[in-house]
Amino acid sequence: MLVAFSVAPSGTGREDGSVHDAVAAAVRIVRESGLPHRTTSMFTEIEGEWDAVFDVVKRATEAVLPYGSRVSLVLKADIRPGYTGEIDAKIDRLEAAIDE
């Protein structure tokens, strides 16, 4: 499965509204998981089996909790049994279609 998620605190009390420290704590969890992943400016994608992926999402969310009074989690999943390597393969297929 592929999961794209975004996790961020609110109620941080920071004058500039930045959440980069909290997001860094979450991304650190993802990177340490050893699962295939990609982080962009808006989301982190992670690929693996259901339990492994959701364990990482849970731990990443928990890592953000100390940074604010509440946490927002946005999640989208692509569940396609029998497929692996889709974190890159989906992009490869898109690029090939564009080049046609």
Side-chain angles (χ1 to χ4, degrees):
M1 82 180 324
L2 287 172
V3 167
F5 76 101
S6 173
V7 59
S10 60
T12 65
R14 290 182 65 137
E15 188 173 308
D16 66 357
S18 177
V19 295
H20 70 273
D21 292 338
V23 173
V27 171
R28 207 171 288 117
I29 298 296
V30 173
R31 290 183 177 177
E32 291 170 356
S33 75
L35 294 174
H37 63 275
R38 177 182 297 119
T39 298
T40 65
S41 61
M42 298 282 295
F43 285 91
T44 294
E45 299 171 357
I46 187 167
E47 182 174 22
E49 296 297 320
W50 185 281
D51 290 340
V53 168
F54 276 89
D55 175 63
V56 173
V57 171
K58 179 181 179 188
R59 290 187 293 118
T61 302
E62 290 170 344
V64 171
L65 285 170
Y67 291 88
S69 59
R70 65 192 326 164
V71 171
S72 172
L73 172 66
V74 176
L75 187 139
K76 181 177 182 180
D78 181 0
I79 303 162
R80 194 172 185 194
Y83 287 79
T84 60
E86 289 295 288
I87 197 166
D88 293 320
K90 288 179 80 162
I91 299 299
D92 294 343
R93 288 191 300 273
L94 171 65
E95 292 297 334
I98 291 169
D99 291 341
E100 291 178 349

